Structures are given as structure tokens and as C-alpha cells.
Amino acid sequence: MRASIATVCLSGTLDQKLVAAHEAGFHGVEVFEPDLVASPDSPERIRARAADLGLSLDLYQPFRDFEGVGPDLLEQNLRRAGAKFALMNRLGIETMLLCSNVATARSGDEQLAAAQLRDLGDLAERFGVRVAYEALAWGRFVDGYEQAARIVRLADHASIGLCLDSFHILSKGHSPEAIETIPADKIFFVQVADAPLLSMDVLSWSRHHRLFPGEGGFDLGAFMGHLVRTGYDGPVSLEIFNDTFRQADPRATAVEARRSLRWLEHEAATFLGAAAGRAARMPVSELPAVQPASDIGYVELRTDALADMRDLLGQLGFQAHGRHRTKNVELWSQGAARVVLGRPAPGVRQPTVAGIGLSVPDPGIALRRAAELFAREVPREQDAGDEPLVGVRAPDGSEVFFGAATRTQPPWVHEFGEPADEGAALIERVDHLNLAQPWQHFDAAVLFLHSVLDLHTQPSMEVAAPVGLVRSQVLRSADGIVRIALNLVPSGERGETILPQHIAFAASDVLSLARSARDRGFRPLEIPANYYDDLRARYAMDPLLLDELRELNVMYDRDESGEFLHFYTPPIGTVFLEVVERRDGYEGYGALNAPVRLAAQYQQRRQATTGISA
């Protein structure tokens, strides 16, 4: 697949965008006209710069409001087009994008549109360029790709073809199957974009909410599969209008974009079948097989408040193994739940969930899949006798390591020594992680977890908190072994992250654990009495159970499957812990309790920093 990207996807100057596309491994770019107009460089210099970077300039766009007009305006439009064709010659670009008319068309007559496109084709032919006609989803008369294909067929000109854009097709609910009826030589260009499934006007949806493939709700694998069957072998380009991407670091966004196209290639190969995909004129191949995790082997926490975190883990019944024999980290465990503690990297002020370790059938294959998706490998020093672990870095800087799955305790645990007293284990394993994501990493994190780890998105939700509206997106493996909730973080007055991250541990008996932890000096996050009064009104509960929940600051939820009991620790910096008990197949996360928890945490932080309790 020839990977291309529109410069509109990236922030920065035109030169910065070209450099970012080159470094991310793209083959070419679409030049978005406003980027060229704002550039201090001449078209010839831009052409030479792209060539030096090994990038082709694949498309000049957009040219608007051409067809369906009267004779006087047609003459003006042809004059405009001639000037753009001359500019394209200077840039060395052979294809121009023509959007269907949204403003000046006064007729929807397809024969008239075709005749005017034929005139445009004659002009393009004189300059040695081509025109790719695209049906905008909000076009005045032409808003569907099959209609655009009819007009191109009627125009019957070698210099006039189609641009197929997945957003304009799928946002209108049009089936992509008819793409297979279009001759490959009349498909001049292809643009792809994903998007969340929203109910809003399509123009606003397009201009602000497009996403890279794999980050939204469109079935892009089928779109690409139908395209591949036509025999098309030209560029597949990302055209993403997104307010976040236009502010984020262009290098990071370009890597995210390149990852999305590799994932899309895999989805197309899966749709077609591996053999058919490889045999296509534009070959598409599947990624190395997903390595499903048998468990979360460990979670790594980094904090300068090691003493406080040790006390907290001890109160919850975790046992210390001691320091690693060669590395400056220590291990705490209970059941199959393991926490590796270390100090943060220089310059990192807040405690963080720095990484996770997954036990998989073949770590090498897991690493190869991640590498094909442009994830950076994390270098790790390994001494003789150390269990081999391989890992990659997520968009937010955290790490994901892969170790070989075993039927017993992972061998690397012995590198820390054995705990002094195993004790009774009420905590069984890690249930889920809740990771705060800065605005510029949220969608990239969704794509990373979906493509690299094969975690699938659950319905997203928004939770009201004292600091703002928190958007939460859960991703989980098919078997529920790995569950990660991503929270889009509101910003404080100085743009600081103010939403904590947390690790949730699964327990066999939350109430017993809460009591034993209290006996060891544990003080849970205090939940207001109003919450328990509301529980009494919401559910027909055993009064004795309600009193016990209130006494221990344990929260409660119920669905058609079962019950959910959970409590929270106070935060240490921006990290806190949660202990959960799922009864009778409950699969949720206590969503109705989230606003209460967030408010209680806000109140606790405010009291700690200001001394004000109300």
C-alpha cells in the first residue's frame, strides 16, 4: 500500500509537516492549498524539499465549486483551474482534487456537469495533469460517490476520474460495495478517515471530528477490501480534519497516522482473506498474530513517595519481595496481583502508572506486531539469568512489556526474592487500569491499544466532575483479562493534569478485605452519607449490608447480571488504588458511582492543599 497523508492532518509549517511525514515512513503527501499559500518557500523549492526527503507530492487540493454553473461562471472557473494547473506543474503534482459544488451550482443536470468536467479535462490535458472528482457529503446536487461515478463516466475523458473518500461515503450510510463496479483506471485517488458515530450535521462532523482509521466507528476494512478488488494501486491517503491533531506535535501525530494505515491494511487483508490480499494488484497483508494475554503479570508504579506506597500496599495485604537483584525497583504481590515500585525518571514530578507487563504465548511475535505498527521498542538491560522481557512505548510514554506465559508464577518474580510471609490472599489479580490521558494522546492511545494489543472499545461515557467533564473510554480483550479505561483529562489553571490514575485489584471478598485493611491502619476514601441514602432509595437492599457499606466506605452497583462492590484508597500524589469484587458476572465499572468518587477525591485534594473542608 502506498501510504500518503494530507498536510491538513498535521500542525506546524509546511516544511515541518513534510519532515514529520518523512520521519513517520510515509511515501507521499497531499498538499493542502492553505499550507502552500502560507509557506515562504516557492513551489520549486517545496518540490525539491519533498524530493530530498523521499516524498512524492501526490495531490493538490482542494478546487471547489466548479460544475453545474452558468456559462459566465464556467469561464471564470476554467481560468481559475488553469492557474492552479500551472502551479501544479511547478510543484510537480499530477492530480488535483475537485470537490462537488456546494455553493454556486444552479443545476443538478448530470449531463451538464459531465460536459463541464469534459471542458476541464481538455484544459488539464494541456498541462499534463488529471482531475479527481469527489462527491462531498454535503454537495448541493452531487453528494454520493455513485452519482459522481456516473458523471465521470458521462464525461468520458482520460484526464477526469474519481476521488473516493471513506468519510463522505460512510458518513452518509452509503454501502461501499458498488466501488467494485468502478474501473480501476477511473479511480485517481483514495482518501480515508474514521470518525466517531455522532448524530450531528455532516459538515461539522467532517470538519472537526474525523479520526485516523481504527479510532472511530466506521467499517474501514470493508471499504478497503472493496477498493482492493477493483485493482486500484495508487496512493491511499489520510485526510483528517480534527481540532486536536492541528494542535499536537506533528511528529507524534504522523507516527499515529502511519500506524493507522498499517492497521487498515491488516483489516483489508482480513476482509479479503490473506491469500487474496497478497495476490491483489495493491497487495495488503495481515499483521503478525495477536498474542492474547493470559494475565497482567505486573503493573509498574513510579513515585518518590515510596514509603507511603509501601505502607498502603501493606495495609491492603500485599507482601514485599524486596529489591531486584540488579535493578533499582522492588516487587510487592498478593495472589496474582504484582506491583513493581520504582522512582520516577528525572523531571517527572507526579507518581505515574509507568507500565504493565503482559504474559503472552510468544513475546517475540507480540513485539513484531507492535514494531509493524510503528511502536518504539523500549531498550532494557538484561543481565545473565534475567528472564527475557521485550517491550514497546505507548503514545503517553508508558511501557508495555511482554513475557512468556507460564502455568505457574512467572520466573522473573524470583529475581526479587521470595516474600517473608505469603499470608492469605484476598486480592486475586489486577482487574483493570484507569489511565489519565492528556488531550493530545487520547485518540492515539485508543489506536495503540486497539491495534497493538487487540483491545476493543466499549461504549464511551462522559462523567461530570468538579474539575470538568471527564470523557472515559474502556478497551478490553475479548476474554476480559485485560481491561484499560482511558480518561480524557481536563486541565487545571496552569494546564496541569488533575485527574488521578489508578489500579483496580480484583478481590474475592471486598468487605473482609476492607475490615482487615482497617485493622492495619488503612483509611479509605471517605464517601458522603448522601450517597448511601441514595443507595437506599435506588435499590431494595438488605439494611445490614447497607450499614456495612457505609461503615467501610464501600460503594455498590448492580445490573441485570450481578453486583459490584468496590472501595478506593486516598491518592498518593496522582495515583490511587481500588479494590473491586464482581459478583455473578457483573461486567461494568460502577459508572453511576464515578461522579461521587471524583467529587470525594476533589474534596480531599482541596482540603489537603488549602485546609478548607467545604
Side-chain angles (χ1 to χ4, degrees), residues 511 515 543-554:
L511 296 175
R515 286 193 179 280
L544 294 178
L545 173 60
L546 184 62
D547 289 344
E548 191 172 13
L549 296 174
R550 186 196 307 264
E551 175 195 357
L552 298 172
N553 285 280
V554 173

Side-chain angles (χ1 to χ4, degrees), residues 14 31-41 46 60 84 87:
L14 180 54
V31 176
F32 190 58
E33 186 171 73
D35 288 324
L36 174 71
V37 172
S39 174
D41 296 327
I46 292 167
Y60 188 79
K84 297 305 179 185
L87 175 61

